[in-house]
Amino acid sequence: MDKVLVILGPTATGKSSLAVKLARKFNGEVISADSRQVYKGLDIGTGKISKKDMRGIHHWLLDVVSPKIIFTVAEWQKQAKEKIKDIISRGKLPIICGGTGFYIQSIVDGIVLPEVPPNKNLRKKLEKKSLNNLVLMLKKLDNERLKNIDTKNKVRLIRAIEIATKLGYVPNINKQKIPYEILQVGLTLPDTKLKKKISIRLFARIRDGMIEEAKKLNKKGLSFKRMREFGLEYKYLADYLENKLSKIELVEKLETEIWRYSKRQITWFKRDQRIKWFQLEETKRIEKEIHSFLDR
């Protein structure tokens, strides 16, 4: 059976650099599993890998659409499946790399996603509601779906409610058999190290022009409202550019929120007992695990 490798974990653990290293060693190509890196121009704020750091390795599902357009998990899954098939057909190893749990799960578990087009009028109404109100709405519709969603992510809450409104219910997550074997390698760090890395990376992004990037996106027509929908960096950058936050408050908010986001990522991934967990410096152990996976 064909093989697929997944590199996952919370933000700032070194997934991208590991994926490149493994792709070079095992003749692979990388498929990004990041819900914000699919958007063109969202580069510094999302920590998108540079051409230099790709080291000649093909990376797919980066810069797929304009940030003005909503790109759903169903669309990502469809394109990811096509890329997996293409990479395998050329005798290479597909390496899915990212931290968006539901994107990864959609491939690993063969989730059948409902095809429900966006309802602009409903979205406008829902966008005016608070996170708490949206959570309560989804709870009434289907409490089980609520258990498997990021309740801090307004866009995903709205999408779940939108699907339920269209279909009359929130569909159960149906699964189909996948045509390949998958090894999931998770990267982890002790809390103190992860916090430090998040802080260092945040200051590096600010130094590298994250604020200027947000200004440029806005000048090109990306509204602050849409920018906030991307959450994390872009949410607070929009607040800063509209003078709702000082630069010090921007940094403090982002350090806190990125750390909280990393904890939510960890909670999501820890539910999957199939993931093999390592720290980044355990490269030899990771490579040994992959060799064993590919040889069986």
Side-chain angles (χ1 to χ4, degrees):
M1 188 179 282
D2 294 319
K3 308 289 176 74
V4 174
L5 175 63
V6 177
I7 307 296
L8 57 81
T11 189
T13 46
K15 298 184 294 294
S16 295
S17 60
L18 177 64
V20 167
K21 187 172 185 177
L22 296 174
R24 287 169 65 87
K25 185 171 183 66
F26 294 101
N27 190 29
E29 294 183 6
V30 178
I31 300 168
S32 170
D34 187 297
S35 62
R36 299 185 306 162
Q37 292 185 5
V38 295
Y39 295 105
K40 297 172 184 175
L42 271 65
D43 302 330
I44 302 169
T46 64
K48 197 177 289 178
I49 190 170
S50 66
K51 289 287 182 186
K52 181 184 175 184
D53 289 338
M54 287 179 188
R55 298 172 68 196
I57 297 297
H58 277 295
H59 280 65
W60 305 101
L61 296 189
L62 296 173
D63 303 319
V64 177
V65 294
S66 161
K68 296 177 187 178
I69 297 167
I70 291 171
F71 192 78
T72 67
V73 62
E75 290 166 316
W76 180 87
Q77 183 197 50
K78 181 183 177 185
Q79 292 196 28
K81 284 180 177 179
E82 289 169 359
K83 290 302 176 191
I84 289 170
K85 188 176 179 181
D86 171 54
I87 293 166
I88 290 171
S89 75
R90 290 184 280 107
K92 295 196 169 190
L93 175 67
I95 302 174
I96 297 172
C97 175
T100 303
F102 194 41
Y103 277 27
I104 292 167
Q105 189 191 5
S106 76
I107 293 294
V108 170
D109 288 330
I111 292 172
V112 181
L113 297 160
E115 292 185 16
V116 176
N119 182 332
K120 290 182 180 179
N121 291 331
L122 177 62
R123 284 186 178 187
K124 280 181 183 178
K125 291 176 185 175
L126 294 175
E127 280 164 5
K128 294 173 185 175
K129 296 186 180 294
S130 67
L131 274 174
N132 285 341
N133 282 338
L134 292 172
V135 167
L136 288 171
M137 285 180 73
L138 186 55
K139 187 174 184 178
K140 286 179 183 177
L141 289 163
D142 194 315
N143 195 41
E144 286 304 307
R145 180 70 183 100
L146 185 63
K147 291 175 184 176
N148 295 300
I149 199 167
D150 180 359
T151 55
K152 301 290 183 184
N153 190 317
K154 197 168 188 178
V155 174
R156 290 193 185 159
L157 285 167
I158 288 172
R159 179 60 178 162
I161 293 166
E162 184 177 56
I163 291 168
T165 304
K166 175 69 176 177
L167 301 181
Y169 62 100
V170 178
N172 292 323
I173 294 180
N174 296 316
K175 299 176 182 180
Q176 58 186 198
K177 191 174 181 181
I178 55 173
Y180 24 74
E181 277 186 69
I182 295 177
L183 170 65
Q184 296 182 85
V185 170
L187 286 185
T188 185
L189 278 174
D191 284 358
T192 50
K193 283 188 179 180
L194 185 56
K195 269 188 177 180
K196 188 176 180 181
K197 281 197 76 173
I198 286 170
S199 183
I200 291 169
R201 196 171 71 159
L202 174 59
F203 280 98
R205 287 181 182 181
I206 292 170
R207 182 198 64 220
D208 292 342
M210 184 170 73
I211 294 170
E212 289 70 24
E213 177 180 88
K215 284 180 184 175
K216 187 178 175 182
L217 286 165
N218 182 244
K219 280 182 182 177
K220 285 186 172 181
L222 186 68
S223 69
F224 288 128
K225 176 177 172 290
R226 176 64 178 142
M227 207 179 285
R228 286 188 180 93
E229 289 177 358
F230 294 119
L232 292 177
E233 294 87 355
Y234 294 96
K235 175 184 176 182
Y236 294 105
L237 284 167
D239 286 347
Y240 171 73
L241 294 176
E242 288 199 303
N243 299 313
K244 294 178 180 179
L245 289 176
S246 68
K247 194 166 184 178
I248 291 172
E249 288 171 327
L250 169 67
V251 173
E252 287 175 348
K253 284 275 189 186
L254 281 177
E255 279 193 300
T256 300
E257 291 306 316
I258 295 170
W259 168 245
R260 286 176 179 168
Y261 173 63
S262 73
K263 297 304 284 183
R264 293 198 298 274
Q265 286 178 298
I266 292 166
T267 299
W268 175 286
F269 290 128
K270 287 294 185 183
R271 297 179 309 172
D272 191 340
Q273 299 299 312
R274 298 166 295 183
I275 297 170
K276 311 278 188 182
W277 290 98
F278 302 89
Q279 294 197 26
L280 187 59
E281 58 266 26
E282 297 180 290
T283 309
K284 293 297 180 189
R285 283 189 61 219
I286 294 169
E287 289 177 1
K288 186 178 178 183
E289 188 75 40
I290 294 167
H291 271 299
S292 176
F293 167 66
L294 294 176
D295 290 343
R296 66 176 182 241

